[in-house]
């Protein structure tokens, strides 16, 4: 019987479950979609937070030696890429018979035809959400005896690219309505009363710095019966801290019905919702008030990024400031807590323009919390392709800023520290201002 090993290199906080949302969704689907496939499934989680690359690689290789897998898979993100590069490069040098499967945003948004150059240790690459594509791949591999045959006689699966073959740049096909809930699938998640939950994927906007786009996901929603059962389980198991990770929770047509399910089940814990000011309607406000009246701690998170017109235009993130202000006034009137985030290091930004956005938010919106995050250039985004135009210079931040602010991963990740309109010294001044804000963040 063949063995499949999913290795998760995650940035863990104290309250996080023992499996990430992405990995748990994959494991739940494999468990339910492959009951008759002769393949054992293993999972290990590696915490990259303040980790030593060499020690982590050694632990990973020890686990591989123990499990003896035929296939090893992982998801690559900007914040774990250096760890995976080291671990999988050494794995490849030690054992060429193990098939390696790579997914995650760094694979999804890598330019077509370049995956092998960036990730020479990869045998198979999956672009996009991998649940169903990976299950189809493993099912096909289980029917082929040797690794060499698998590399030469495999079936073609949309979104799955084999090293050395023509890269079509396709993304894996999946049906969110048919994916099982990790929370409801036995044996997947062991939580500490905190979970991340998704109700939809995709975003109707095309911000130049963000990887969430409707161009692929088309804002697909989870089956509402699944969500109802998840909320019932959340309440019955006493889970009292939830972050809904939808890019914009109050987009689409189902957000009010979802909140109603929380209300009907008497949820009284923390509920964090990423929201858009311009899309806030009375039904959203009413539901938030009712949740708070029932004892829930509702926290709405809004991204403004900048209020400066030229900066907004470049990053394709314009704000309707009149509507934003009206919504903020209404939130205050209804005593609904909310926080606002900005970005520093944007094209055309200066220290003064950053301060202008910050002071406007403080004076007119009066949020309970303000955050400011440094700009990262993510693969597949318009901003990534425009860095030369605006002379954006990146630098890996090796200082451990997480000691000050734990909601954002900094160390080991390239951030924009200089542009045509600000120096690194001025960026550092913006960073100091941002950290003074973030020091008061809720974890």
């Amino acid at each position: 019987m063949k063995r499949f090993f999913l290795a998760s290199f995650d940035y863990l906080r104290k309250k996080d479950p023992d499996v990430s949302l992405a990995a748990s969704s994959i494991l739940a689907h494999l468990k339910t979609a492959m009951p008759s496939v002769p393949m054992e499934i293993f999972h290990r989680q590696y915490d990259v937070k303040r980790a030593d690359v060499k020690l982590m690689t050694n632990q990973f290789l020890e686990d591989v030696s123990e499990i003896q897998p035929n296939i090893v898979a992982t998801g690559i993100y900007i914040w774990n890429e250096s760890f995976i590069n080291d671990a999988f490069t050494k794995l490849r040098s030690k054992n060429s018979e193990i098939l390696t499967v790579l997914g995650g945003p760094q694979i999804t948004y890598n330019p077509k035809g370049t995956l092998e150059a960036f990730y020479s240790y990869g045998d198979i690459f999956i672009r996009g959400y991998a649940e169903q594509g990976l299950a189809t791949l493993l099912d096909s591999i289980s029917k082929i005896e040797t690794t060499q045959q698998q590399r030469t006689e495999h079936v073609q699966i949309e979104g799955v690219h084999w090293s050395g073959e023509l890269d079509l740049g396709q993304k894996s096909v999946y049906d969110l309505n048919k994916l099982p809930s990790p929370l409801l699938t036995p044996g997947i998640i062991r939580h500490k009363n905190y979970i991340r939950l998704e109700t939809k994927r995709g975003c109707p906007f095309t911000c130049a710095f963000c990887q969430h786009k409707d161009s692929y996901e088309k804002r697909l929603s989870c089956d509402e019966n699944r969500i109802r059962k998840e909320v019932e389980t959340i309440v019955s198991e006493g889970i009292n801290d939830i972050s809904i990770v939808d890019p914009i929770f109050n987009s689409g047509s189902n957000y009010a019905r979802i909140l109603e399910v929380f209300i009907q089940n008497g949820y009284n814990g923390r509920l964090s919702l990423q929201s858009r000011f311009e899309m806030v309607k009375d039904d959203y406000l009413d539901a938030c008030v009712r949740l708070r009246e029932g004892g829930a701690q509702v926290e709405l998170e809004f991204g403004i990024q900048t209020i400066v017109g030229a900066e907004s235009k470049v990053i394709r993130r314009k704000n309707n400031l009149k509507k934003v202000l009206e919504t903020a006034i209404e939130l205050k009137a209804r005593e609904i807590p909310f926080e606002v985030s900005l970005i520093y290091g944007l094209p055309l930004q200066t220290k003064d323009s950053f301060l202008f956005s910050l002071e406007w938010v403080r004076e007119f919106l009066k949020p309970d919390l303000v955050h400011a995050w440094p700009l990262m250039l993510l693969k597949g985004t318009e901003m990534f392709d425009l860095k030369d135009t605006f002379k954006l210079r990146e630098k890996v931040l090796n200082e451990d800023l997480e000691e000050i602010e734990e909601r954002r991963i900094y160390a080991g990740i390239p951030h924009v520290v200089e542009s045509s309109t600000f120096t690194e010294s001025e960026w550092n001044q913006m960073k100091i201002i941002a950290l003074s804000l973030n020091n008061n963040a809720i974890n």
Side-chain angles (χ1 to χ4, degrees), residues 113-356:
T114 65
L115 286 168
E116 290 88 344
F118 281 93
Y119 308 100
S120 59
Y121 50 79
D123 290 305
I124 306 165
F125 305 90
I126 303 180
R127 285 190 170 97
Y129 290 100
E131 291 98 340
Q132 290 172 326
L134 179 60
T136 303
L137 172 68
L138 296 180
D139 181 48
S140 67
I141 287 176
S142 71
K143 299 169 184 175
I144 304 175
E145 187 60 33
T146 69
T147 301
Q148 183 57 36
Q149 288 175 314
Q150 290 161 1
R151 287 190 171 115
T152 58
E153 300 176 14
H154 52 265
V155 299
Q156 297 299 317
I157 303 167
E158 187 171 355
V160 178
H161 167 64
W162 286 73
S163 178
E165 298 187 357
L166 178 65
D167 182 4
L168 300 177
Q170 296 174 329
K171 292 178 181 176
S172 182
V173 175
Y174 76 103
D175 185 345
L176 184 56
N177 263 323
K178 294 182 179 179
L179 294 182
S181 163
L183 183 63
L184 302 177
T185 304
I188 300 296
I189 296 179
R190 292 191 298 274
H191 58 80
K192 304 167 187 173
N193 294 325
Y194 168 75
I195 61 167
R196 293 182 176 86
L197 198 66
E198 63 177 346
T199 73
K200 64 177 73 70
R201 293 177 181 176
C203 177
F205 300 99
T206 56
C207 300
F209 55 85
C210 183
Q211 289 176 331
H212 292 293
K213 298 182 183 70
D214 255 2
S215 56
Y216 166 50
E217 287 82 16
K218 301 299 181 188
R219 207 172 12 165
L220 301 176
S221 297
C222 292
D223 177 70
E224 289 190 26
N225 188 51
R226 161 184 158 172
I227 297 171
R228 178 182 59 78
K229 291 179 180 178
E230 286 178 324
V231 175
E232 291 171 353
T233 299
I234 285 167
V235 173
S236 67
E237 293 189 4
I239 298 172
N240 58 14
D241 194 349
I242 302 171
S243 294
I244 294 185
V245 299
D246 305 358
I248 302 179
F249 175 73
N250 65 321
S251 65
S253 60
N254 65 346
Y255 63 84
R257 293 193 299 273
I258 291 169
L259 293 183
E260 186 64 33
V261 173
F262 278 96
I263 294 168
Q264 290 175 355
N265 282 273
Y267 178 73
N268 59 5
R270 173 180 176 269
L271 185 62
S272 173
L273 305 169
Q274 298 182 64
S275 311
R276 176 101 176 195
F277 276 116
E278 293 92 335
M279 303 181 83
V280 170
K281 300 177 182 177
D282 283 340
D283 58 354
Y284 192 43
L285 297 171
D286 292 342
C288 290
V289 168
R290 291 173 62 204
L291 275 164
R292 284 175 53 76
E293 289 173 346
Q297 181 186 347
V298 179
E299 297 172 3
L300 304 187
E301 301 178 14
F302 296 94
I304 288 287
Q305 321 314 351
T306 177
I307 69 159
V308 178
E311 297 168 16
S312 298
K313 184 176 180 180
V314 168
I315 66 172
R316 296 169 63 91
R317 181 60 173 85
K318 291 188 176 182
N319 297 290
N320 181 338
L321 295 181
K322 180 181 177 182
K323 175 61 176 174
V324 168
L325 183 56
E326 290 172 353
T327 300
I329 291 171
E330 191 64 27
L331 289 168
K332 283 295 183 183
R334 296 183 184 230
E335 299 182 337
I336 301 172
F338 70 99
E339 56 188 77
V340 170
S341 62
L342 299 167
I343 295 177
Y344 63 97
L346 295 172
L348 304 183
Q349 192 175 56
T350 65
K351 176 189 171 185
D352 287 342
S353 71
F354 170 62
L355 285 171
F356 177 74

Side-chain angles (χ1 to χ4, degrees), residues 73-91:
T74 195
I76 306 180
Y77 298 78
I78 191 171
W79 39 265
N80 68 12
E81 187 165 10
S82 61
F83 293 93
I84 292 172
N85 284 343
D86 189 75
F88 274 69
T89 297
K90 288 185 171 60
L91 172 64

Side-chain angles (χ1 to χ4, degrees), residues 390-394 416-420 422-424 427:
F390 295 101
K391 298 181 180 179
L392 303 179
R393 182 173 67 84
E394 296 171 281
V416 172
V417 297
E418 186 178 273
S419 78
S420 58
F422 59 85
T423 64
E424 184 172 351
W427 180 87

